[in-house]
């Protein structure tokens, strides 16, 4: 594991030296894949800072910051895909909002589900249950993005 992190750190350092030359032309985001298979995407048009410690991995992009145990980071990639949701996809899943609670049905059983705040911070990362459903409770007022294997949904919780 330490060898893997050392190699990753060397690659990040190398990337930092090369980024001013080609980043604007090709890479648009950094994608972090967790051990559970969920992904987080960070926009390279903002300053991206990556830090490792003995136990933690922290990435900061603009006002978004995510800190994970090193053991939870499976991959760290650069992508030509954008970091932001550019358009909503056609929904085949069903989202139900009741006050501060949400529920999603129609997903593939055990498929990954990510719930993020509008600024990209990960709120919850889970999997649909055996019936293809996911729910979250006691969400604060705000805009959220729900990413599933079928679609990406943006919704608002009001007080």
């Amino acid at each position: 594991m330490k060898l893997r992190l050392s190699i990753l750190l060397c690659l990040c350092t190398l990337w930092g030296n090369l980024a001013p030359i080609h980043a604007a032309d090709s890479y648009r985001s950094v994608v972090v894949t967790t051990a559970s298979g969920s992904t987080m995407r960070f926009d390279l048009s903002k300053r991206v800072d990556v830090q490792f410690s003995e136990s933690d991995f922290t990435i900061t992009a603009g006002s978004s910051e995510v800190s994970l145990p090193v053991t939870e980071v499976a991959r760290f990639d650069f992508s030509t895909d954008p970091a932001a949701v550019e358009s909503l996809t056609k929904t085949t899943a069903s989202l139900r909002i009741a006050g501060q609670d949400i529920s999603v049905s129609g997903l593939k059983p055990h498929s990954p589900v990510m719930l993020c705040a509008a600024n990209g911070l990960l709120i919850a990362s889970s999997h649909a249950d055996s019936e293809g459903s996911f729910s979250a409770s006691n969400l604060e007022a705000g805009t959220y993005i729900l990413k599933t294997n079928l679609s990406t949904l943006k919704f608002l919780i009001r007080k």
Side-chain angles (χ1 to χ4, degrees):
M1 182 61 123
K2 285 188 180 185
L3 175 62
R4 186 170 144 191
L5 288 176
S6 296
I7 291 170
L8 186 59
L9 188 56
C10 289
L11 290 174
C12 289
T13 303
L14 177 62
W15 171 253
N17 293 332
L18 297 176
I21 299 169
H22 298 290
D25 296 332
S26 57
Y27 294 117
R28 296 175 69 188
S29 60
V30 174
V31 181
V32 177
T33 305
T34 65
S36 66
S38 65
T39 59
M40 293 169 271
R41 192 173 297 272
F42 297 88
D43 187 2
L44 280 175
S45 68
K46 301 175 183 170
R47 177 172 159 55
V48 176
D49 182 43
V50 178
Q51 297 180 4
F52 292 94
S53 69
E54 284 290 320
S55 60
D56 294 320
F57 165 84
T58 303
I59 185 166
T60 306
S63 62
S64 298
E65 179 176 298
V66 173
S67 186
L68 298 168
V70 171
T71 57
E72 291 296 313
V73 179
R75 293 181 57 153
F76 182 91
D77 300 298
F78 295 96
S79 175
T80 56
D81 294 333
V85 175
E86 292 185 340
S87 65
L88 299 179
T89 59
K90 182 179 177 185
T91 304
T92 55
S94 173
L95 173 67
R96 186 176 154 271
I97 302 172
Q100 294 177 301
D101 301 338
I102 65 162
S103 62
V104 183
S105 59
L107 303 172
K108 291 183 182 177
H110 310 291
S111 61
V113 178
M114 285 182 19
L115 179 63
C116 299
N119 64 3
L121 289 177
L122 184 66
I123 304 296
S125 177
S126 186
H127 290 83
D129 63 19
S130 60
E131 296 177 6
S133 297
F134 168 81
S135 62
S137 301
N138 300 321
L139 297 173
E140 295 188 16
T143 302
Y144 294 89
I145 298 170
L146 181 75
K147 184 175 180 179
T148 71
N149 63 323
L150 298 174
S151 60
T152 301
L153 304 168
K154 186 174 183 180
F155 63 94
L156 176 68
I157 299 285
R158 294 185 184 189
K159 283 237 174 189

